[in-house]
């Protein structure tokens, strides 16, 4: 590779803000304005803008329906836009585009751009390879600091970032990383290696999950991390802003799932009525069918309910307490798994931790329930009958069992889903609550049969 040869490709206009009104804040505002328009109106607005500004807007991940917008732009103009956009952004947009439009665009792109985009699209979604950019600064290890700075001045407008410079050995493998701060303070005549960090290079594998990439960037306080192949040749870099974009998208998806629905995939206001119904109806129907088991459980204990109607007064309290404890545990474990604080093999440690926690929390809630029943009985607010003390002990014991079961069930379910290679976020709070509701009723009435047998039952 000849590092003295300047790229003949047009610089990436997404990073050029040459006109006075093309500042970052203006671009962000324009993106928001276009998001409020339909596709045809957005296309008309883009075509009226200066080309650098239009490309800068298309290059922003925050722009909705970018694939539809590019597909609606006349092919010749769309080709110019795509050639000027960053390769990683184009790969994301192309993945959302239908096959016909994608094929037409690929046939018109310059060879270097098409090859880079096709290479990025070969990596599975949510991996380092799928979110990396191939636009980075690299120099040979026999260059001086002055040569490197001169090179950066020439290529900086066509690179994702210049804060990290990657030094390549003679065989093309990644040797060292030099930060821009170290570079500008080094002796201009010194070797580039003299400005490099003495620590070993932190890198990512192209198949590494984006969550693991984010953890590496956070752990080592990096602005970008190189992605290398099995021969230590650098394929691209993942910048911290790319990680933030993908993690925000993942967090949003997990939040939707945890709320008991499919991930929307679009902003709330951009969702059509029927799309919203489809996203929500499936989970609601599944949860409704699950709650039907609650009615079945109550029918099973119909005889006990007829003999001791007073037990029905505490059913909402019993069910909500178990569901709440399960949802708490699920939330804690899902987040810990997402942050890498827990691994799949840690399930037994979590179990040993949640079991006593559930017993203690259940005892606290049981004591509150028993105290409330006693106060109401003694103050004359409600008469629970001559066996009110036994009813109080029933509520106390049942809450210990139900809260413990909810905590254990809620903490183990994310591990089970991950073991089955499913998203742990699917263990939504409504799902856990529904599961614990049914089992909670069984526990409640089983405890009642033991304590109240021979009296009320």
């Amino acid at each position: 590779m000849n590092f003295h040869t300047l790229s003949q490709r047009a610089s990436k206009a997404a990073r050029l803000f040459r006109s006075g009104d093309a500042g970052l804040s203006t671009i962000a505002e324009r993106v928001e304005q276009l998001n409020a328009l339909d596709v045809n109106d957005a296309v008309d607005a883009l075509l009226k803008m200066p080309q650098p500004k239009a490309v800068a807007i298309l290059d922003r991940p925050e722009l909705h329906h970018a694939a539809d917008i590019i597909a609606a732009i006349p092919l010749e103009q769309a080709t110019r836009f795509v050639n000027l956009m960053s390769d990683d952004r184009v790969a994301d947009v192309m993945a959302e585009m239908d096959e016909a439009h994608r094929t037409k665009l690929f046939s018109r792109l310059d060879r270097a751009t098409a090859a880079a985009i096709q290479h990025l699209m070969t990596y599975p979604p949510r991996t380092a390879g799928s979110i990396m950019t191939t636009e980075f600064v690299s120099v040979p290890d026999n260059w001086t600091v002055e040569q490197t700075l001169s090179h950066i001045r020439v290529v900086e407008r066509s690179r994702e970032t210049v804060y990290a410079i990657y030094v390549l050995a003679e065989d093309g493998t990644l040797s060292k990383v030099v930060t821009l701060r170290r570079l500008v303070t080094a002796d201009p005549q010194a070797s580039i290696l003299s400005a490099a960090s003495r620590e070993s290079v932190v890198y990512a594998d192209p198949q590494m999950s984006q969550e693991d990439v984010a953890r590496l960037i956070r752990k080592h306080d990096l602005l970008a991390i190189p992605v290398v192949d099995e021969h230590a040749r650098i394929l691209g870099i993942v910048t911290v802003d790319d990680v933030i974009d993908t993690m925000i998208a993942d967090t949003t998806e997990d939040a939707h799932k945890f709320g008991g629905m499919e991930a929307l995939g679009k902003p709330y206001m951009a969702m059509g009525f029927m799309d919203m119904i489809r996203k929500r109806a499936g989970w609601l129907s599944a949860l409704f069918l699950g709650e039907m088991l609650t009615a079945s459980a109550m029918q099973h204990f119909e005889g006990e309910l007829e003999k001791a109607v007073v037990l029905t007064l505490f059913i909402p309290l019993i069910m909500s307490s178990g569901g709440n404890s399960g949802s708490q545990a699920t939330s804690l474990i899902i987040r810990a798994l997402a942050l890498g604080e827990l691994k799949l093999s840690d399930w037994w440690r979590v179990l040993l931790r949640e079991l006593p926690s559930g017993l203690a929390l259940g005892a606290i809630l049981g004591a509150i329930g028993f105290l409330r029943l006693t106060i109401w009985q003694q103050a004359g607010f409600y008469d629970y009958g001559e066996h009110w003390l036994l009813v109080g002990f029933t509520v106390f014991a049942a809450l210990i069992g139900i809260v413990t079961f909810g905590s254990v069930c809620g903490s183990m379910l994310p591990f089970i889903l991950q073991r089955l290679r499913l998203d742990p976020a699917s263990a939504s709070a409504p799902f856990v609550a529904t599961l614990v509701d049914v089992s909670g009723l069984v526990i409640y009435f089983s405890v009642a049969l033991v304590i109240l047998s021979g009296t009320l039952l």
Side-chain angles (χ1 to χ4, degrees):
M1 177 179 182
N2 186 354
F3 288 88
H4 297 279
T5 303
L6 300 180
S7 173
Q8 299 302 311
R9 293 175 55 193
S11 62
K12 300 300 182 180
R15 297 177 184 79
L16 296 178
F17 303 109
R18 294 173 183 159
S19 59
D21 65 340
L24 185 61
S25 61
T26 302
I27 295 298
E29 291 167 1
R30 295 287 181 155
V31 169
E32 291 181 357
Q33 293 168 2
L34 290 183
N35 286 339
L37 303 176
D38 61 32
V39 171
N40 291 330
D41 289 340
V43 169
D44 291 339
L46 277 172
L47 293 178
K48 292 176 182 177
M49 296 179 188
Q51 182 168 282
K53 190 170 186 177
V55 175
I57 290 172
L58 289 170
D59 226 4
R60 296 295 291 269
E62 297 84 3
L63 180 66
H64 306 154
H65 313 298
D68 295 332
I69 291 173
I70 292 176
I73 295 174
L75 185 59
E76 195 67 33
Q77 183 63 58
T79 303
R80 286 196 291 269
F81 284 161
V82 171
N83 272 322
L84 292 171
M85 291 169 62
S86 57
D87 293 340
D88 55 333
R89 172 61 173 160
V90 174
D92 292 338
V93 173
M94 288 282 199
E96 299 174 5
M97 198 174 288
D98 64 68
E99 184 65 30
H101 283 106
R102 185 164 57 239
T103 302
K104 287 180 183 178
L105 263 180
F106 263 124
S107 65
R108 303 296 292 271
L109 296 178
D110 65 68
R111 187 172 299 177
T113 300
I117 294 169
Q118 286 178 323
H119 180 67
L120 289 173
M121 292 180 68
T122 60
Y123 295 106
R126 303 175 183 273
T127 61
S130 69
I131 62 174
M132 72 180 182
T133 178
T134 55
E135 297 151 339
F136 54 90
V137 180
S138 60
V139 297
D141 60 5
N142 59 359
W143 273 23
T144 64
V145 170
E146 185 175 17
Q147 284 178 299
T148 304
L149 286 170
S150 298
H151 179 67
I152 291 173
R153 293 187 189 100
V154 173
V155 302
E156 61 90 11
R157 289 183 172 180
S158 62
R159 297 298 185 264
E160 179 81 12
T161 180
V162 296
Y163 296 114
I165 297 90
Y166 301 95
V167 182
L168 307 183
E170 188 176 350
D171 60 358
T173 58
L174 179 60
S175 173
K176 292 288 183 179
V177 179
V178 180
T179 63
L180 186 60
R181 173 181 290 184
R182 294 283 296 270
L183 191 65
V184 298
T185 58
D187 179 1
Q189 302 307 316
S191 167
I192 182 65
L193 292 175
S194 68
S197 171
R198 294 183 180 180
E199 297 180 1
S200 57
V201 178
V202 179
Y203 60 87
D205 180 270
Q207 301 297 328
M208 181 181 288
S209 70
Q210 60 190 29
E211 291 84 2
D212 290 337
V213 174
R215 279 192 281 271
L216 276 177
I217 287 178
R218 183 183 63 178
K219 179 180 179 181
H220 298 280
D221 196 22
L222 303 173
L223 292 176
I225 186 170
V227 181
V228 302
D229 61 16
E230 64 273 16
H231 303 297
R233 291 186 175 87
I234 185 168
L235 302 171
I237 61 171
V238 177
T239 57
V240 67
D241 59 314
D242 293 329
V243 169
I244 290 173
D245 290 335
T246 55
M247 295 308 291
I248 287 175
D250 281 352
T251 302
T252 302
E253 181 178 328
D254 289 347
H256 290 158
K257 289 182 178 179
F258 201 69
M261 60 182 293
E262 289 184 46
L264 295 183
K266 298 179 182 178
Y268 177 83
M269 295 304 296
M271 288 292 294
F273 177 76
M274 291 308 299
D275 288 335
M276 183 68 76
I277 297 300
R278 280 194 294 270
K279 293 288 186 180
R280 298 172 67 175
W283 264 103
L284 278 178
S285 299
L287 293 172
F288 180 73
L289 292 172
E291 288 289 0
M292 284 183 175
L293 296 175
T294 304
S296 300
M298 293 184 69
Q299 290 171 6
H300 180 74
F301 293 101
E302 183 179 4
E304 287 72 18
L305 286 173
E306 290 177 353
K307 296 176 185 177
V309 178
V310 69
L311 294 177
T312 61
L313 301 176
F314 299 96
I315 288 177
L317 179 149
I318 294 292
M319 292 173 63
S320 63
S321 297
N324 290 341
S325 65
S327 298
Q328 274 188 347
T330 301
S331 301
L332 291 171
I333 302 306
I334 288 177
R335 191 58 183 163
L337 286 170
L339 294 176
E341 299 171 354
L342 291 174
K343 303 186 294 294
L344 190 60
S345 58
D346 292 326
W347 68 269
W348 64 273
R349 291 189 178 91
V350 174
L351 178 62
L352 293 178
R353 188 181 181 88
E354 285 297 319
L355 191 58
S357 296
L359 289 169
L361 293 170
I364 292 172
L365 296 185
I368 294 173
F370 183 85
L371 182 62
R372 187 266 191 197
L373 186 148
T374 301
I375 293 174
W376 257 242
Q377 178 71 29
Q378 297 300 323
F381 295 147
Y382 191 87
D383 184 10
Y384 294 102
E386 60 178 318
H387 300 293
W388 65 270
L389 197 57
L390 291 177
V391 173
F393 281 122
T394 298
V395 172
F396 176 77
L399 278 169
I400 293 177
I402 291 166
V403 172
T404 302
F405 178 81
S407 297
V408 170
C409 181
S411 62
M412 291 296 103
L413 191 57
F415 285 106
I416 294 172
L417 290 174
Q418 190 175 66
R419 182 68 180 84
L420 296 174
R421 300 185 182 280
L422 299 175
D423 187 355
S426 299
S428 63
F431 179 74
V432 174
T434 300
L435 179 63
V436 177
D437 283 350
V438 179
S439 53
L441 281 175
V442 175
I443 293 172
Y444 178 43
F445 286 113
S446 298
V447 171
L449 282 173
V450 173
I451 296 178
L452 298 176
S453 182
T455 54
L456 290 178
L457 300 179

